[in-house]
Amino acid sequence: MIRVAIAGYGNLGRGVEKAIAQNPDMELVCIFTRRDPESFQANSGVKVVAMADMASMKDAVDVVILCGGSATDLPEQTPQVASLFNVIDSFDTHANIPTHFEKVNEAAKNAGKVAMISVGWDPGMFSLNRIYAESILREGSTYTFWGKGVSQGHSDAIRRVPGVKRGIQYTVPVPEALEAVRSGSNPELTTREKHTRECFVVAEEGADKAAIEEAIKNMPNYFSDYDTTVTFIDEDEFDRVHNQLPHGGFVLRSGVTGEGTKQLIEYSLTLGSNPEFTACVLVAYARAAARMASEGMTGCKTVFDVAPSYLSPLSAEELRAHLL
Amino acid sequence: MIRVAIAGYGNLGRGVEKAIAQNPDMELVCIFTRRDPESFQANSGVKVVAMADMASMKDAVDVVILCGGSATDLPEQTPQVASLFNVIDSFDTHANIPTHFEKVNEAAKNAGKVAMISVGWDPGMFSLNRIYAESILREGSTYTFWGKGVSQGHSDAIRRVPGVKRGIQYTVPVPEALEAVRSGSNPELTTREKHTRECFVVAEEGADKAAIEEAIKNMPNYFSDYDTTVTFIDEDEFDRVHNQLPHGGFVLRSGVTGEGTKQLIEYSLTLGSNPEFTACVLVAYARAAARMASEGMTGCKTVFDVAPSYLSPLSAEELRAHLL
């Protein structure tokens, strides 16, 4: 049994808890929290331990899955926790991955632990599809599309606009752009041509809806470079229709071999729940981290460094017989 | 530079020759052949060496890409050549992979070489997508569809029917079956429900077309379990329209997380040329084999055993900065 702990009990942490229940070779030992551990109970009934008392669990846990955010939690937590445990995180600020890697690698190497960073679907499964596809089709173009799905950052941005009571934003790939890529024409696509942004807003009583719409559509970085629609709905509809966190997207590699032969590789995800899917990826890589650590490996790893066989509970013989 | 040799100079071998030209870190050293090496020239101008003289190239070649067939060539060749060189093959008789693995593993271990078997797209990229998807979504069903594409085995079978002058067979996934899988309904699909078989035939002068059609449609193993169409065309059209070897297909994993949340992973290939694409996969894994051997690894490997970073010419730092 691989003994797992979860650090952080939000959407992602609860998703990991559910995912572990689908993996009979894994056992959830405890939840680590920065809150008062007496203030809540875990759905699965496992004990809740204060983050400050982590070291007390050192011999009872094989790997800790960090479920904090990339903005402020993980840059601090991952190196810290990697000095005590094998760890996995879903650090997803692409531009800061090299710096995060260096800090985590030093901590994990010094402690003789394996630390797997940036695990999830992007970075994560999408990254894997980029490396496989680009290693195979050396001449060509790679395209990543996101959605249809809820962007938490953009939903937060909507909710900061005065007069907005509730708000949610869906990122939607433009079908014509996807088709152009699939055709093998290797188009150069602008930001506006690749995705649209669909916003659903519940306005405060008496708010100026036209002003809200203008404020959203012209918001720099978030919306001004996109074709954005703003739809006002009532709170009932908001609660009924927009209560999930679906997401997904596409990675396409359109390449050429021989004398102009077109070749297309496409990977796509259609996720009913973004945090539950990310959780499943984290759990599979937790299995890999525990195994790699037990073989004596140490240091920071990414999905690029993990042979696929480490992810599966099946033996090498079973994999060759049934999945190859 | 990784120094590569090709053994076997048919469609696949010529595809590998073209693929190596797209990889500046690789150099094609020679073609090994069972034919008289004086009887043909390689398109790239590299020297042609008799298979019997392979050992003479021992110090000049880092990895040999075997381009023979799975029925009779590779079961003999791969263990033999693995006693002299690091090798890659595209052995694709799924049921015999475990036996092939054992034989190749023994030869490669004894010689201190790396031998990578069953590299291509199925087995190969499709296998990778099955292992990743099943490791992530533990509850669910996996579906593989092939096509639209030319099946060489089925085309050969058509050509053995009396009265058939030319023949080609396309395997076509049934769109309704694909949609049923994508819907998350996890259908049980029979052979007939998943694929149709489309045959294009040029009949010999005066042949009984009705008899040919019946013979094809009722052929056990090949056609009798499928909805098969037979279209007679003239030789001009055959040469003009059916002169390529396109292929492709889909791997889908439809799973459930949490309390019934649907999650879908889909991978697809749309290949203008099956042998040229397979060749590109072989070349990427040749890079991996050379690197793994230089790190001291030995024995038989499959795509499940290869960390993705080995496939790319980019450094670990570049991969993390640009593809993660």
Side-chain angles (χ1 to χ4, degrees):
Chain A
M1 289 293 262
I2 297 171
R3 302 167 304 166
V4 183
I6 294 168
Y9 199 58
N11 278 334
L12 184 58
R14 287 192 298 271
V16 170
E17 184 176 35
K18 293 174 194 168
I20 291 170
Q22 291 184 308
N23 285 273
D25 63 330
M26 307 184 98
E27 180 193 359
L28 179 59
V29 175
C30 65
I31 311 282
F32 292 123
T33 183
R34 281 177 305 199
R35 293 182 268 169
D36 172 4
E38 304 293 324
S39 68
F40 68 96
Q41 295 203 317
N43 293 330
S44 59
V46 297
K47 68 179 165 182
V48 180
V49 177
M51 211 85 98
D53 298 332
M54 255 189 176
S56 70
M57 300 301 289
K58 209 171 163 349
D59 298 326
V61 169
D62 297 313
V63 52
V64 178
I65 301 180
L66 298 173
C67 298
S70 296
T72 55
D73 298 336
L74 298 176
E76 297 293 318
Q77 269 178 14
T78 311
Q80 256 170 36
V81 182
S83 67
L84 288 170
F85 297 94
N86 301 308
V87 296
I88 314 282
D89 79 21
S90 61
F91 186 79
D92 67 358
T93 312
H94 288 260
N96 298 340
I97 286 174
T99 311
H100 188 55
F101 181 91
E102 292 306 329
K103 283 172 58 183
V104 173
N105 192 41
E106 195 188 338
K109 282 259 185 224
N110 287 341
K113 301 294 180 188
V114 167
M116 206 97 73
I117 63 162
S118 302
V119 173
W121 58 274
D122 195 5
M125 298 313 296
F126 276 15
S127 321
L128 282 175
N129 277 278
R130 288 187 284 260
I131 191 174
Y132 279 119
E134 296 196 5
S135 299
I136 292 167
L137 296 177
R138 300 293 298 138
E139 293 181 22
S141 303
T142 305
Y143 299 84
T144 303
F145 291 84
W146 296 274
K148 181 180 177 175
V150 174
S151 163
Q152 307 262 27
H154 289 79
S155 299
D156 290 346
I158 292 175
R159 290 189 288 262
R160 288 191 296 264
V161 171
V164 170
K165 188 174 180 190
R166 310 279 296 276
I168 192 166
Q169 193 266 187
Y170 298 88
T171 306
V172 184
V174 174
E176 292 77 15
L178 263 171
E179 283 315 311
V181 171
R182 289 187 183 124
S183 77
S185 68
N186 284 4
E188 297 247 0
L189 296 165
T190 63
T191 298
R192 189 178 299 273
E193 286 167 336
K194 285 183 71 184
H195 297 93
T196 52
R197 298 199 176 278
E198 296 180 0
C199 308
F200 294 87
V201 173
V202 180
E204 302 275 10
E205 185 94 22
D208 178 347
K209 290 183 179 176
I212 290 173
E213 184 168 341
E214 282 310 293
I216 292 173
K217 287 186 169 179
N218 296 315
M219 198 185 296
N221 302 319
Y222 287 91
F223 294 102
S224 61
D225 293 337
Y226 296 85
D227 289 336
T228 301
T229 57
V230 178
T231 306
F232 291 93
I233 58 177
D234 63 32
E235 200 149 10
D236 262 15
E237 182 179 340
F238 193 93
D239 288 334
R240 205 175 60 246
V241 180
H242 302 287
N243 59 355
Q244 302 291 320
L245 294 170
H247 219 311
F250 303 80
V251 176
L252 300 106
R253 175 78 175 168
S254 168
V256 165
T257 60
E259 287 89 41
T261 307
K262 288 182 181 181
Q263 313 274 15
L264 181 72
I265 303 174
E266 177 167 346
Y267 180 79
S268 67
L269 296 173
T270 311
L271 309 177
S273 163
N274 179 355
E276 284 182 12
F277 185 82
T278 301
C280 290
V281 184
L282 286 166
V283 167
Y285 277 91
R287 177 181 292 116
R291 289 177 171 180
M292 291 165 76
S294 75
E295 291 180 8
M297 299 186 205
T298 65
C300 189
K301 311 286 178 194
T302 74
V303 293
F304 296 152
D305 306 310
V306 181
S309 60
Y310 284 111
L311 302 172
S312 172
L314 301 182
S315 71
E317 290 75 17
E318 289 171 314
L319 290 173
R320 284 193 295 270
H322 303 301
L323 293 186
L324 198 60
Chain B
M1 289 294 261
I2 297 170
R3 300 168 305 166
V4 183
I6 295 169
Y9 199 59
N11 277 334
L12 185 57
R14 287 192 298 270
V16 170
E17 184 176 35
K18 292 174 194 169
I20 291 171
Q22 292 184 309
N23 285 273
D25 63 328
M26 306 185 98
E27 180 193 358
L28 179 59
V29 174
C30 65
I31 311 282
F32 292 123
T33 183
R34 280 177 305 199
R35 292 182 268 169
D36 173 3
E38 305 294 322
S39 68
F40 68 96
Q41 295 203 316
N43 292 330
S44 59
V46 297
K47 68 178 165 183
V48 180
V49 177
M51 211 84 100
D53 298 332
M54 257 190 173
S56 69
M57 300 301 289
K58 210 173 161 352
D59 298 326
V61 169
D62 297 314
V63 52
V64 177
I65 302 180
L66 298 174
C67 298
S70 296
T72 55
D73 299 335
L74 298 175
E76 296 293 318
Q77 269 179 13
T78 311
Q80 256 170 34
V81 183
S83 67
L84 287 171
F85 297 94
N86 301 308
V87 296
I88 315 283
D89 79 20
S90 61
F91 185 79
D92 66 359
T93 312
H94 288 262
N96 298 341
I97 286 173
T99 310
H100 188 57
F101 181 91
E102 292 307 330
K103 283 172 59 184
V104 173
N105 192 42
E106 197 188 337
K109 283 258 187 226
N110 287 341
K113 301 294 180 188
V114 168
M116 205 97 71
I117 63 162
S118 300
V119 173
W121 59 274
D122 194 4
M125 298 312 297
F126 276 15
S127 322
L128 282 174
N129 277 278
R130 288 187 282 261
I131 191 175
Y132 279 119
E134 295 196 8
S135 299
I136 292 167
L137 296 177
R138 300 293 299 139
E139 292 181 22
S141 303
T142 304
Y143 299 84
T144 303
F145 290 84
W146 297 273
K148 183 181 175 175
V150 175
S151 163
Q152 307 262 26
H154 289 78
S155 298
D156 289 344
I158 291 176
R159 290 189 288 261
R160 287 192 296 263
V161 172
V164 171
K165 186 173 182 191
R166 311 280 295 275
I168 192 165
Q169 193 265 189
Y170 297 88
T171 306
V172 184
V174 174
E176 293 76 16
L178 264 171
E179 284 315 311
V181 172
R182 289 187 183 123
S183 77
S185 68
N186 284 5
E188 298 247 359
L189 296 167
T190 63
T191 298
R192 190 178 298 273
E193 286 167 334
K194 285 183 72 184
H195 297 94
T196 52
R197 298 201 176 276
E198 297 180 0
C199 309
F200 294 86
V201 173
V202 180
E204 303 275 10
E205 187 93 21
D208 179 346
K209 290 183 180 176
I212 291 173
E213 184 168 341
E214 282 311 292
I216 292 173
K217 287 185 170 179
N218 296 317
M219 200 184 295
N221 301 320
Y222 286 91
F223 294 102
S224 61
D225 292 337
Y226 297 85
D227 289 336
T228 301
T229 58
V230 177
T231 305
F232 290 94
I233 58 177
D234 62 32
E235 200 150 10
D236 261 14
E237 182 179 340
F238 193 94
D239 288 334
R240 205 174 60 244
V241 180
H242 302 286
N243 59 355
Q244 302 291 319
L245 294 170
H247 219 312
F250 303 80
V251 177
L252 301 105
R253 176 77 175 169
S254 168
V256 165
T257 61
E259 286 89 40
T261 308
K262 288 183 182 179
Q263 313 273 15
L264 181 71
I265 303 174
E266 177 167 345
Y267 180 79
S268 67
L269 296 174
T270 310
L271 308 178
S273 163
N274 180 355
E276 286 183 11
F277 186 81
T278 301
C280 291
V281 183
L282 287 166
V283 167
Y285 277 91
R287 178 182 291 115
R291 288 176 172 180
M292 291 165 76
S294 75
E295 291 179 8
M297 298 185 204
T298 65
C300 190
K301 313 286 177 192
T302 75
V303 295
F304 297 152
D305 306 309
V306 181
S309 60
Y310 284 111
L311 302 172
S312 172
L314 302 182
S315 70
E317 290 75 17
E318 289 171 314
L319 290 173
R320 285 193 294 271
H322 302 301
L323 293 187
L324 200 60

